[in-house]
Amino acid sequence: MSLEKTMTLARTVSLETTQAISKTLSQVPVPPLPEWINRFMAGSNQYGANAFDRSFIVLGLTMYMVGLVMVASSSIPVAERIFNNPFHFVIRHGIYIGLSLAVAGVALQIPMSWWHKNSSYLLGFAIVLLVTVLLIGRSVNGSTRWIVLGPITVQAAEPAKLFFFCYLSAYLVRRREQVMENLKGFIKPLIVFGVMAALLLLQPDLGTVIVMFVTTFGLLFLAGAKLWQFIAMALVGATSLGMLAYFEPYRWRRVTSFLDPWQDPFGSGYQLTQSLMAYGRGEVLGQGLGNSIQKLEYLPEAHTDFVMAVLAEEFGFIGISVVLLLSMTLVYKALILGRYALAKEKYFEGFLAYSIGIWMCFQAAVNIGASAGIVPTKGLTMPLISYGGSSMIVMTLALVILIRIDHEIRLQSIQATSSKRPSKKETKSKVKQSGDK
């Protein structure tokens, strides 16, 4: 037999064998994929068929749990001394989390059109809150920031921030062309900000003013205002903040003690030096949960503004990095959501998502930076982690708004896709017509 005939026979046998194997395999039943794999594959598409992005809930609950553990660890000594109950702050923090989840369940049902339509009323309510706290508010450590409603205390500045950002986002939708083209449209929201800043400075609460200023600055930049307007705004803002710090003795002491806290370690620099000791003791892996020394009433406000210092001491650089990663992921998702909303021409939702992302980012950066000695102390809480009912509820509400924005965008995409698909009756008629032809 020649070589050519041999090769032909081999190809024929190989083809027949392959066809037989394929036929056999086609008859073998393939088991379906497990349900969790199908859900994971469906969830990998950010704006697919899911009703909302579940990662927002995972991030929020994770930060809740981190905060609950750290508040429990850092507050026991001071709670034992003041209330004779080591779990006083832990129980209250757990109640705040429960209230936050209840508010989240209600707010999740509110469409974004309601926030857009009522943004002016929300701004008016925020101003009423800031005026009320000056009239009947409770003073703590020289600051009048809390409204007492029975067993509940409300920090008026927290909802005021969110409501102002709602108003600013709605204003940019109505007057975006004016903001981009002339100075008048750029100045109007700054006048509203100036009124709220004046009320906040009377408390006094410079930290909230700085957060609102930076968020407003960033949002106007993203809305397309001119560069020279930003330069002027930055110069005026920096000069004003510098004057506010210089002409108020206690603020100036904070600035000078921040520059060199070891110059007066038992006076103006005491809190920062104790916080830096906590960071130093933590090193890379930390001393272990519950083994902090600075929380034993050496570090003031260990469970509120300086909870990250205790976390650094007990969990070290690794623990701080994990919390930073959680916060950065949440901020990144908020900014990406804002960009996607603008691409879908949902401008109010996009600007509001941007403002929430900038707000959370800057407040977290200032909180951690203050405890690490990078920026002066400003009395801002760590979002979703620090002890504080008003901050916890408002930050949860902001997170729920992000989930609602994501849900409405997905719903719009699903409806647009389903409207393009032909119905079953149309498909059958088309098939019948092609068959008749």
Side-chain angles (χ1 to χ4, degrees):
M1 184 180 293
S2 64
L3 180 61
E4 185 177 352
K5 290 182 178 180
T6 304
M7 294 297 294
T8 303
L9 180 61
R11 289 194 191 99
T12 304
V13 172
S14 177
L15 180 61
E16 292 175 352
T17 305
T18 303
Q19 291 176 346
I21 293 173
S22 300
K23 185 177 180 180
T24 304
L25 290 175
S26 65
Q27 296 175 353
V28 176
V30 179
L33 289 173
E35 184 64 23
W36 69 270
I37 295 181
N38 291 328
R39 290 180 180 177
F40 177 80
M41 292 175 67
S44 63
N45 183 7
Q46 186 180 1
Y47 295 100
N50 287 336
F52 59 91
D53 188 353
R54 294 178 177 85
S55 60
F56 280 116
I57 295 180
V58 173
L59 289 168
L61 291 177
T62 303
M63 295 178 77
Y64 275 162
M65 293 304 103
V66 171
L68 185 62
V69 170
M70 292 316 304
V71 168
S73 177
S74 59
S75 67
I76 286 178
V78 65
E80 176 69 27
R81 177 178 62 85
I82 297 175
F83 301 101
N84 200 28
N85 178 10
F87 302 108
H88 173 82
F89 291 111
V90 185
I91 295 171
R92 290 179 68 90
H93 193 71
I95 293 172
Y96 292 149
I97 292 177
L99 288 174
S100 300
L101 293 175
V103 170
V106 175
L108 198 58
Q109 310 302 319
I110 301 175
M112 292 308 301
S113 58
W114 184 90
W115 295 97
H116 189 181
K117 181 180 178 181
N118 296 283
S119 58
S120 298
Y121 298 109
L122 292 173
L123 176 68
F125 181 63
I127 293 175
V128 169
L129 284 176
L130 294 178
V131 172
T132 303
V133 76
L134 294 175
L135 298 176
I136 60 171
R138 187 178 72 179
S139 296
V140 178
N141 296 329
S143 298
T144 308
R145 302 178 185 176
W146 291 269
I147 300 174
V148 181
L149 300 174
I152 302 174
T153 56
V154 179
Q155 189 173 356
E158 294 297 334
K161 285 186 284 189
L162 179 60
F163 296 160
F164 173 71
F165 298 148
C166 284
Y167 165 78
L168 184 59
S169 301
Y171 175 84
L172 292 176
V173 175
R174 297 192 306 268
R175 301 284 189 268
R176 189 178 182 186
E177 292 183 359
Q178 293 183 12
V179 172
M180 296 173 64
E181 293 175 359
N182 57 59
L183 185 62
K184 184 179 179 181
F186 184 81
I187 291 295
K188 282 183 179 179
L190 296 182
I191 295 174
V192 177
F193 166 74
V195 172
M196 297 189 69
L199 293 173
L200 287 165
L201 290 173
L202 290 174
Q203 296 184 8
D205 190 357
L206 182 61
T208 300
V209 173
I210 295 175
V211 170
M212 291 175 64
F213 175 78
V214 171
T215 306
T216 303
F217 185 89
L219 200 55
L220 289 172
F221 177 79
L222 293 172
K226 295 179 181 178
L227 183 61
W228 70 267
Q229 295 173 340
F230 284 104
I231 296 174
M233 182 179 176
L235 291 175
V236 171
T239 304
S240 302
L241 292 175
M243 293 176 63
L244 287 170
Y246 183 77
F247 290 106
E248 191 68 39
Y250 84 93
R251 292 189 188 128
W252 189 244
R253 282 197 301 271
R254 284 186 177 182
V255 174
T256 54
S257 64
F258 147 74
L259 294 173
D260 187 9
W262 301 102
Q263 186 177 3
D264 188 12
F266 298 103
S268 59
Y270 177 77
Q271 191 174 34
L272 183 53
T273 54
Q274 297 299 320
S275 179
L276 292 175
M277 289 180 191
Y279 273 91
R281 291 190 74 250
E283 297 182 348
V284 177
L285 298 177
Q287 300 293 322
L289 180 62
N291 293 329
S292 169
I293 298 297
Q294 301 307 118
K295 72 181 181 184
L296 302 177
E297 298 199 63
Y298 292 104
L299 176 62
E301 308 296 337
H303 61 294
T304 55
D305 299 344
F306 282 79
V307 69
M308 296 303 293
V310 178
L311 188 146
E313 185 177 4
E314 296 187 348
F315 293 97
F317 176 77
I318 301 298
I320 288 289
S321 299
V322 170
V323 174
L324 280 174
L325 183 61
L326 291 172
S327 299
M328 287 171 59
T329 303
L330 184 57
V331 169
Y332 173 77
K333 291 184 71 64
L335 296 178
I336 292 297
L337 179 61
R339 187 181 70 175
Y340 193 79
L342 292 180
K344 290 288 186 180
E345 298 184 352
K346 298 177 77 68
Y347 295 109
F348 172 76
E349 291 83 351
F351 288 134
L352 187 54
Y354 271 140
S355 63
I356 291 173
I358 298 170
W359 168 26
M360 287 185 172
C361 175
F362 186 74
Q363 185 159 324
V366 170
N367 178 272
I368 297 176
S371 64
I374 301 172
V375 297
T377 56
K378 287 265 78 68
L380 296 174
T381 59
M382 184 66 187
L384 301 176
I385 291 180
S386 294
Y387 175 82
S390 300
S391 175
M392 176 73 69
I393 292 172
V394 172
M395 282 296 179
T396 302
L397 186 56
L399 183 60
V400 166
I401 289 175
L402 293 177
I403 295 174
R404 181 71 197 191
I405 293 172
D406 179 82
H407 167 70
E408 292 191 3
I409 292 176
R410 289 169 183 262
L411 194 62
Q412 184 185 48
S413 300
I414 293 171
Q415 290 173 348
T417 304
S418 60
S419 64
K420 292 179 182 179
R421 293 176 181 173
S423 62
K424 292 183 179 180
K425 293 182 178 179
E426 292 176 351
T427 306
K428 289 181 180 179
S429 63
K430 288 181 180 179
V431 172
K432 186 177 181 180
Q433 289 175 5
S434 62
D436 293 339
K437 293 179 179 179

